Short mmCIF file of all heavy atoms in Angstrom, two decimals:
data_model
loop_
_atom_site.label_atom_id
_atom_site.label_comp_id
_atom_site.label_asym_id
_atom_site.label_seq_id
_atom_site.Cartn_x
_atom_site.Cartn_y
_atom_site.Cartn_z
N ALA A 206 -11.78 -5.30 -14.62
CA ALA A 206 -12.05 -3.94 -15.05
C ALA A 206 -12.25 -2.98 -13.88
O ALA A 206 -12.41 -1.78 -14.10
CB ALA A 206 -13.30 -3.92 -15.94
N ILE A 263 -24.43 -3.80 -13.93
CA ILE A 263 -24.82 -2.95 -15.05
C ILE A 263 -24.68 -1.46 -14.69
O ILE A 263 -24.25 -0.64 -15.50
CB ILE A 263 -26.25 -3.28 -15.52
CG1 ILE A 263 -26.49 -2.75 -16.95
CG2 ILE A 263 -27.30 -2.75 -14.57
CD1 ILE A 263 -25.66 -3.42 -18.01
N CYS A 302 -16.25 -0.04 -7.75
CA CYS A 302 -16.65 -0.61 -6.45
C CYS A 302 -17.93 -1.42 -6.57
O CYS A 302 -18.03 -2.54 -6.04
CB CYS A 302 -16.83 0.52 -5.43
SG CYS A 302 -17.25 -0.02 -3.77
N PHE A 331 -8.90 -8.25 -9.59
CA PHE A 331 -8.96 -6.85 -9.16
C PHE A 331 -7.56 -6.31 -8.87
O PHE A 331 -7.19 -5.21 -9.27
CB PHE A 331 -9.84 -6.73 -7.91
CG PHE A 331 -9.94 -5.33 -7.38
CD1 PHE A 331 -10.91 -4.47 -7.86
CD2 PHE A 331 -9.07 -4.86 -6.41
CE1 PHE A 331 -11.02 -3.17 -7.37
CE2 PHE A 331 -9.16 -3.59 -5.91
CZ PHE A 331 -10.13 -2.73 -6.40
N PRO A 384 -20.87 -37.89 6.48
CA PRO A 384 -19.46 -38.23 6.61
C PRO A 384 -19.32 -39.72 6.90
O PRO A 384 -20.19 -40.33 7.53
CB PRO A 384 -19.00 -37.38 7.81
CG PRO A 384 -20.02 -36.27 7.90
CD PRO A 384 -21.29 -36.86 7.41
N SER A 399 -36.66 -22.98 12.64
CA SER A 399 -36.19 -21.88 11.81
C SER A 399 -34.71 -21.65 12.07
O SER A 399 -34.19 -22.04 13.11
CB SER A 399 -36.98 -20.60 12.12
OG SER A 399 -36.63 -20.12 13.38
N PRO A 470 -36.41 -32.15 0.41
CA PRO A 470 -37.63 -31.44 0.79
C PRO A 470 -38.57 -31.30 -0.39
O PRO A 470 -38.20 -31.52 -1.53
CB PRO A 470 -37.08 -30.06 1.21
CG PRO A 470 -35.86 -29.89 0.36
CD PRO A 470 -35.28 -31.25 0.22
N ALA A 529 -7.36 3.34 13.02
CA ALA A 529 -6.14 4.15 12.95
C ALA A 529 -5.06 3.44 12.14
O ALA A 529 -4.38 4.05 11.30
CB ALA A 529 -5.63 4.46 14.35
N LEU A 643 -1.40 -5.41 3.76
CA LEU A 643 -2.40 -4.73 4.58
C LEU A 643 -3.81 -5.20 4.24
O LEU A 643 -4.57 -5.65 5.12
CB LEU A 643 -2.28 -3.22 4.38
CG LEU A 643 -3.35 -2.35 5.04
CD1 LEU A 643 -3.22 -2.42 6.56
CD2 LEU A 643 -3.23 -0.91 4.55
N GLY A 665 -17.30 -1.80 5.77
CA GLY A 665 -17.65 -0.54 5.11
C GLY A 665 -17.21 0.67 5.92
O GLY A 665 -16.68 1.64 5.38
N ASN A 676 -6.51 11.30 1.40
CA ASN A 676 -6.58 12.73 1.08
C ASN A 676 -5.45 13.51 1.74
O ASN A 676 -4.79 14.34 1.10
CB ASN A 676 -7.92 13.31 1.57
CG ASN A 676 -9.08 12.94 0.67
OD1 ASN A 676 -8.88 12.66 -0.50
ND2 ASN A 676 -10.27 12.93 1.20
N PHE A 678 -2.40 12.52 2.99
CA PHE A 678 -1.05 12.23 2.50
C PHE A 678 -0.85 12.70 1.06
O PHE A 678 0.24 13.19 0.71
CB PHE A 678 -0.75 10.74 2.62
CG PHE A 678 -0.48 10.28 4.02
CD1 PHE A 678 -1.35 9.42 4.67
CD2 PHE A 678 0.64 10.71 4.71
CE1 PHE A 678 -1.10 9.00 5.96
CE2 PHE A 678 0.90 10.30 6.01
CZ PHE A 678 0.03 9.44 6.64
N GLY A 703 14.70 16.77 -9.09
CA GLY A 703 14.85 15.34 -8.83
C GLY A 703 14.21 14.92 -7.52
O GLY A 703 13.04 15.21 -7.23
N VAL A 713 7.41 12.62 5.97
CA VAL A 713 6.15 12.55 6.70
C VAL A 713 5.64 11.11 6.77
O VAL A 713 5.24 10.62 7.84
CB VAL A 713 5.09 13.46 6.05
CG1 VAL A 713 3.73 13.29 6.73
CG2 VAL A 713 5.53 14.91 6.09
N CYS A 718 4.91 5.66 9.37
CA CYS A 718 5.20 4.23 9.49
C CYS A 718 5.53 3.87 10.93
O CYS A 718 5.06 2.83 11.45
CB CYS A 718 6.38 3.85 8.59
SG CYS A 718 6.01 3.79 6.83
N LEU A 726 1.46 -2.69 17.45
CA LEU A 726 1.96 -3.45 18.61
C LEU A 726 1.06 -3.25 19.83
O LEU A 726 0.80 -4.19 20.59
CB LEU A 726 3.39 -3.01 18.93
CG LEU A 726 4.45 -3.37 17.87
CD1 LEU A 726 5.79 -2.76 18.23
CD2 LEU A 726 4.57 -4.89 17.72
N LYS A 742 -13.52 -16.22 31.24
CA LYS A 742 -14.95 -16.18 31.48
C LYS A 742 -15.64 -17.42 30.92
O LYS A 742 -16.54 -17.98 31.54
CB LYS A 742 -15.55 -14.92 30.86
CG LYS A 742 -15.16 -13.64 31.58
CD LYS A 742 -15.79 -12.44 30.90
CE LYS A 742 -15.40 -11.14 31.60
NZ LYS A 742 -16.00 -9.95 30.92
#
Side-chain angles (χ1 to χ4, degrees):
I263 199 66
C302 182
F331 179 87
S399 71
L643 173 67
N676 283 336
F678 286 113
V713 175
C718 286
L726 293 174
K742 290 180 180 179

